[in-house]
Amino acid sequence: MPGSQDQQWDEIFDVVVVGSGGGALTSALLARDGGASVVVVEKDQYIGGTTAVSGGDMWIPNNRHIADKDSREDAIAYVRRLSDGREADPSLVEVYVDTAPVALDYLETHTGYACEPHLTLDDYYSVIGDRIPGVRHFPRSVSVKPYPAAAELGELAELINRGPWVPPAEVSFPEMRRGEVGPEELDRRRREGWRAKGGGLIAPLLKALVDRGVEVRTRTPALQLVTNDDSAVVGVVVADGDGGRRRIGARRGVVLACGGFEWNPEMVRTFIGYEVKPMTPWSNTGDGHLMAMEVGARLGSMTTFFSYGVVYDPWEKGRDGHPLPQMIMGLGAGSIIVNQSGRRFMHGGYTYNDFSHPFGFYDQRLPGFANKPPAWVVFGAQHLAEGVMGAKPGIEMSLTGPEGQPAPDWLAVADSIGELAGKLGIEPSALRETVDRYNEYAEKGEDPDWADPLQTHVLTGPDTVNVKPVIGPPYGAIQQWPGTLGTNGGCRIDADARVLGNRVPVIDGLYAVGNTSAAVLGATYPGGGACIGSSVTMGYRAGRHLAGREPHDLG
């Protein structure tokens, strides 16, 4: 189905970028530096997309900090082993590995962005030794250095989004690891409007665009692509904020970089098949995917997503007034995760990208989806006494309401495992059998049913290497949901992020990066910041290509 072909324009630019995350702003920067006129349109009231609420790391093999001890061949072998042949285009793995260090250097040279190696965050699969070829036992990930956003951007800095998942937003991960920022320094940074992590990546990119005269318009959702008689994309229709529409021409092309579809329940049900809880901005509703499909885009990797675990904070509320999702994958030693039949089916170790996928397992013996969400984290007296500690620094949840309010129905406390099972809707004998068997071995520091004897250390999740029994009474349980940091399926792209078509090899004038595109690394997460690294890298290639294009004559 073609996009709108009405070519009466309210305004015309060379390039229109839809979205304002890391990949979007990088594509805008490269296009502008190449001489193109650019405008960025953002659906949300805030700037930065998923990048701004993230940790802001980028997984960059062979970056300048580690080039002397990394190799191109090992990085490619590592990703290909993890993707297991399911990446949309295997050739893009090499494109990414070759381009990522160049894109990183460009940002450090041409913007105020600065980074350093992420301390202690080795490749994610280093926790299982050297079973994966090409893995590195040091960080290939780079972390954002803190940036004086308010001093550089003024009131515009207040529009950069922030999330509740990686606090504090003003302190970098390496600073946290080194213990360098105390309460007084943190208070000063908050007063002065500094940003680190995801906001520390978005802020200098935004500053660079502002200095180059590029406007970033918030509350401006894209509604429809515009094509010409040759089916080339030459513009986009956007909402103007007053209930009307504006038609923006794009002589060289449109970049779709407006996130995934994790907040679109219909698309999640269609492509993923089971409910996942997003830890991303609400605006990621698949708008780019839908607009691209309307003009004949090929799609890839639509059944996969970047995973994490979600446990809802019993007492804190998010901006929408609902319980706040936290990035938690079980509660580590002294707890187990069970399905609705009271059987263990996972633990919280390894990498978070692997955590949610067992929820989609089909058991032919039942038959049925044995692990359909939600699951339950079952724990004992120690967790109840100390509070529920999350896997992320700065997150602590108490099971006692601040004003003595009763626990919600997705959090239960009981004096016995049988009583707890009744509150959870689980057959008591099944849960007792599971807990008794686990405790029998855990008393000896063993877990033959689940733990991996070759898992060498804990990296991104709770402690599952040191096994401890579930001891009570009292006993507790809290719902565990599959979560997502974003879907990673979308438009199939080539090496320059041009969107591939179903009826034509390439849709002229249409580009896609970030979670609006099919992930170049497949359904993998090789190290911290893999999704932002690939988004920025392909944004770099898209912007560079757009800058060199011959413009369409739009009158």
Side-chain angles (χ1 to χ4, degrees):
M1 186 172 75
S4 170
Q5 293 188 310
D6 179 359
Q7 294 190 37
Q8 299 297 313
W9 308 111
D10 293 296
E11 53 190 328
I12 297 175
F13 296 86
D14 289 323
V15 176
V16 179
V17 177
V18 181
S20 65
L25 298 188
T26 301
S27 65
L29 176 68
L30 267 292
R32 184 70 190 96
D33 282 356
S37 61
V38 182
V39 67
V40 178
V41 295
E42 167 58 53
K43 175 182 180 179
D44 203 345
Q45 61 181 313
Y46 297 104
I47 294 170
T50 304
T51 304
V53 304
S54 75
D57 290 344
M58 291 191 282
W59 188 75
I60 310 289
N62 293 309
N63 70 74
R64 62 182 177 82
H65 300 287
I66 59 168
D68 61 334
K69 52 184 179 180
D70 202 358
S71 83
R72 174 183 187 271
E73 293 71 25
D74 280 353
I76 292 170
Y78 178 53
V79 173
R80 286 195 169 149
R81 167 60 181 82
L82 296 177
S83 63
D84 202 21
R86 300 188 68 179
E87 62 272 58
D89 183 346
S91 70
L92 294 184
V93 174
E94 295 187 30
V95 170
Y96 174 72
V97 170
D98 291 338
T99 309
V102 180
L104 180 68
D105 291 346
Y106 189 92
L107 296 189
E108 290 205 281
T109 302
H110 294 85
T111 78
Y113 166 82
C115 68
E116 62 178 309
H118 193 308
L119 293 182
T120 73
L121 196 68
D122 303 347
D123 278 350
Y124 281 171
Y125 291 86
S126 65
V127 299
I128 55 174
D130 291 307
R131 279 186 274 171
I132 304 295
V135 69
R136 286 292 184 266
H137 297 273
F138 57 77
R140 281 166 161 154
S141 302
V142 294
S143 280
V144 179
K145 290 184 177 181
Y147 183 80
E152 294 292 331
L153 287 163
E155 293 182 357
L156 194 58
E158 298 177 8
L159 294 181
I160 298 175
N161 206 356
R162 62 177 67 223
W165 300 295
V166 283
E170 299 80 11
V171 183
S172 74
F173 283 125
E175 287 179 320
M176 292 170 64
R177 300 286 191 269
R178 294 189 291 257
E180 293 176 346
V181 179
E184 292 184 3
E185 172 63 12
L186 179 57
D187 287 343
R188 180 188 72 82
R189 291 188 186 182
R190 284 174 173 165
R191 289 194 306 272
E192 297 179 2
W194 285 68
R195 291 297 299 269
K197 302 188 175 80
L201 171 58
I202 292 299
L205 293 180
L206 180 59
K207 169 65 173 174
L209 291 175
V210 169
D211 289 347
R212 290 159 171 79
V214 175
E215 183 183 1
V216 178
R217 302 176 183 174
T218 58
R219 303 177 188 267
T220 308
L223 305 175
Q224 188 177 29
L225 296 170
V226 181
T227 58
N228 64 14
D229 292 339
D230 296 322
S231 298
V233 173
V234 292
V236 62
V237 180
V238 303
D240 65 6
D242 296 320
R245 297 186 173 198
R246 291 185 65 80
R247 306 179 65 81
I248 306 177
R251 299 185 191 93
R252 302 190 189 188
V254 174
V255 181
L256 297 176
C258 43
F261 58 86
E262 63 272 14
W263 282 94
N264 185 320
E266 178 62 27
M267 292 183 72
V268 168
R269 184 176 182 85
T270 298
F271 294 110
I272 294 174
Y274 57 96
E275 186 175 4
V276 293
K277 300 296 187 181
M279 292 166 285
T280 61
W282 66 271
S283 51
N284 294 339
T285 53
D287 299 355
H289 300 68
L290 297 173
M291 288 187 289
M293 283 191 279
E294 287 176 348
V295 297
R298 293 174 63 188
L299 302 181
S301 302
M302 290 295 287
T303 61
T304 61
F305 59 97
F306 296 116
S307 165
Y308 216 113
V310 162
V311 169
Y312 282 93
D313 192 307
W315 318 115
E316 294 295 325
K317 305 293 184 183
R319 287 176 180 162
D320 58 4
H322 296 122
L324 185 67
Q326 293 289 10
M327 301 162 71
I328 297 177
M329 306 183 294
L331 302 177
S335 73
I336 57 174
I337 305 173
V338 302
N339 62 21
Q340 294 178 31
S341 297
R343 307 301 183 189
R344 292 178 73 200
F345 68 104
M346 62 152 57
H347 67 31
Y350 306 121
T351 164
Y352 48 79
N353 192 53
D354 296 336
F355 180 81
S356 294
H357 302 301
F359 285 90
F361 168 71
Y362 186 87
D363 189 340
Q364 68 185 113
R365 298 169 299 178
L366 293 176
F369 290 92
N371 306 328
K372 60 184 178 183
W376 293 94
V377 186
V378 176
F379 48 89
Q382 183 177 351
H383 284 92
L384 286 163
E386 297 177 356
V388 181
M389 292 299 298
K392 294 295 179 181
I395 296 174
E396 181 175 357
M397 301 194 312
S398 171
L399 299 183
T400 302
E403 299 177 3
Q405 58 266 57
D409 58 8
W410 38 265
L411 190 160
V413 178
D415 290 327
S416 70
I417 291 296
E419 180 189 357
L420 184 67
K423 291 185 175 183
L424 306 184
I426 295 174
E427 170 59 43
S429 62
L431 187 59
R432 276 195 297 263
E433 179 183 342
T434 297
V435 173
D436 288 346
R437 176 175 172 81
Y438 172 76
N439 283 351
E440 177 184 352
Y441 285 100
E443 293 284 359
K444 299 180 286 186
E446 301 174 0
D447 185 9
D449 292 332
W450 203 263
D452 183 349
L454 298 181
Q455 184 179 358
T456 61
H457 61 282
V458 175
L459 188 61
T460 64
D463 183 0
T464 54
V465 174
N466 298 301
V467 179
K468 297 179 182 179
V470 177
I471 300 297
Y475 298 94
I478 191 168
Q479 276 185 1
Q480 175 76 72
W481 286 88
T484 176
L485 306 176
T487 51
N488 62 3
C491 303
R492 289 280 306 273
I493 57 174
D494 69 3
D496 291 310
R498 299 185 299 169
V499 174
L500 308 183
N502 284 309
R503 298 187 181 277
V504 294
V506 172
I507 298 177
D508 185 21
L510 186 61
Y511 297 72
V513 301
N515 291 356
T516 313
S517 66
V520 297
L521 301 183
T524 67
Y525 212 116
C531 49
I532 298 176
S534 56
S535 178
V536 165
T537 297
M538 298 312 292
Y540 170 89
R541 294 189 67 93
R544 188 178 63 180
H545 190 270
L546 278 158
R549 276 180 56 97
E550 286 294 324
H552 288 283
D553 182 6
L554 301 186

